[in-house]
Amino acid sequence: DQQVKQNSPSLSVQEGRISILNCDYTNSMFDYFLWYKKYPAEGPTFLISISSIKDKNEDGRFTVFLNKSAKHLSLHIVPSQPGDSAVYFCAASTQTGTASKLTFGTGTRLQVTL
Amino acid sequence: KAGVTQTPRYLIKTRGQQVTLSCSPISGHRSVSWYQQTPGQGLQFLFEYFSETQRNKGNFPGRFSGRQFSNSRSEMNVSTLELGDSALYLCASSTQGLAGVNEQFFGPGTRLTVL
């Protein structure tokens, strides 16, 4: 049962344009969401997160939007740069005490072309 | 501050053998989580350790086990290896303050190949 879904396995965007990566979840208990970027042969790198009490969080070129009613979040990258080419994972968690368990999506490979 | 380190980086084993992977978290981080990454499955949570205690466990068979030492370093062990265990095994550490879930910082992973 895939509780976090990234339905687009790949995305190609021109340099300078906006990249929009989408993520859907099914577990209404999730209340904390994160995006990670992963290059080949490296571990995932934390990008940005959002708590369920917010609907938007911005950090430089990266903005995450959360639509709780639709159980949907998206990552916007503006403007896209060639160095952004990587696999992006969204992840979700429930704040059960202080336990740390992330449920990841299957990832979206972003290719930023010149 | 040094990042999360994992050893070895690459490992080749045969079916039926067992393997032990090691993870050293970022200094001061007390929580260590382990994930398995396979093509098409994304990252799947194996277990989490905090202060030498397993605090959370994913849906993996008992062949997968782990432990954490007093210095927060962690090991995971897979016994009776199967071909399907071939994957990238990732370790992540976090501070785990009172706020609950914190961002996890990942190591580079151990690539395990089972022949």
Side-chain angles (χ1 to χ4, degrees):
Chain A
D1 175 30
Q2 193 72 27
Q3 296 187 62
V4 178
K5 300 177 185 179
Q6 293 177 258
N7 292 319
S8 298
S10 64
L11 176 68
S12 183
V13 173
Q14 266 191 324
E15 182 182 10
R17 306 292 288 267
I18 182 171
S19 295
I20 300 176
L21 295 95
N22 294 303
C23 180
D24 297 295
Y25 62 96
T26 58
N27 188 344
S28 58
M29 297 300 291
F30 287 144
D31 55 10
Y32 191 71
F33 304 90
L34 309 90
W35 284 93
Y36 283 84
K37 177 169 75 172
K38 187 178 185 301
Y39 293 118
E42 294 182 13
T45 303
F46 169 74
L47 263 180
I48 192 169
S49 63
I50 188 167
S51 166
S52 61
I53 62 173
K54 294 185 176 182
D55 54 18
K56 177 183 174 181
N57 188 26
E58 193 171 353
D59 184 3
R61 296 187 297 114
F62 302 91
T63 303
V64 56
F65 295 91
L66 175 62
N67 182 334
K68 286 193 298 282
S69 61
K71 295 192 178 67
H72 177 83
L73 66 154
S74 60
L75 174 68
H76 293 209
I77 307 173
V78 184
S80 300
Q81 299 173 354
D84 296 330
S85 297
V87 178
Y88 289 79
F89 292 95
C90 68
S93 182
T94 57
Q95 295 202 12
T96 52
T98 54
S100 178
K101 170 187 173 182
L102 294 177
T103 301
F104 282 84
T106 52
T108 296
R109 183 176 301 278
L110 173 65
Q111 180 75 37
V112 180
T113 59
L114 297 173
Chain B
K1 199 183 252 190
V4 178
T5 58
Q6 292 186 244
T7 57
R9 291 293 310 275
Y10 302 92
L11 205 48
I12 299 175
K13 292 284 188 179
T14 56
R15 278 182 301 175
Q17 286 187 309
Q18 73 154 17
V19 67
T20 299
L21 313 180
S22 180
C23 171
S24 292
I26 292 172
S27 178
H29 285 194
R30 295 168 63 191
S31 168
V32 174
S33 299
W34 288 89
Y35 294 84
Q36 180 195 66
Q37 185 188 8
T38 53
Q41 291 292 321
L43 283 79
Q44 294 186 290
F45 175 77
L46 280 156
F47 29 64
E48 183 224 359
Y49 286 87
F50 183 83
S51 293
E52 302 178 65
T53 301
Q54 187 181 88
R55 193 163 62 171
N56 211 342
K57 190 176 188 305
N59 297 322
F60 278 81
R63 300 185 297 107
F64 292 81
S65 63
R67 59 178 175 168
Q68 187 180 34
F69 302 95
S70 58
N71 61 359
S72 293
R73 189 177 70 86
S74 177
E75 289 181 347
M76 69 162 280
N77 185 75
V78 188
S79 62
T80 320
L81 284 166
E82 301 176 359
L83 294 178
D85 296 334
S86 294
L88 180 67
Y89 289 88
L90 292 158
C91 160
S93 75
S94 69
T95 57
Q96 279 299 282
L98 295 176
V101 174
N102 290 309
E103 294 79 18
Q104 294 184 22
F105 297 86
F106 283 82
T110 294
R111 171 73 62 186
L112 172 65
T113 302
V114 182
L115 303 175

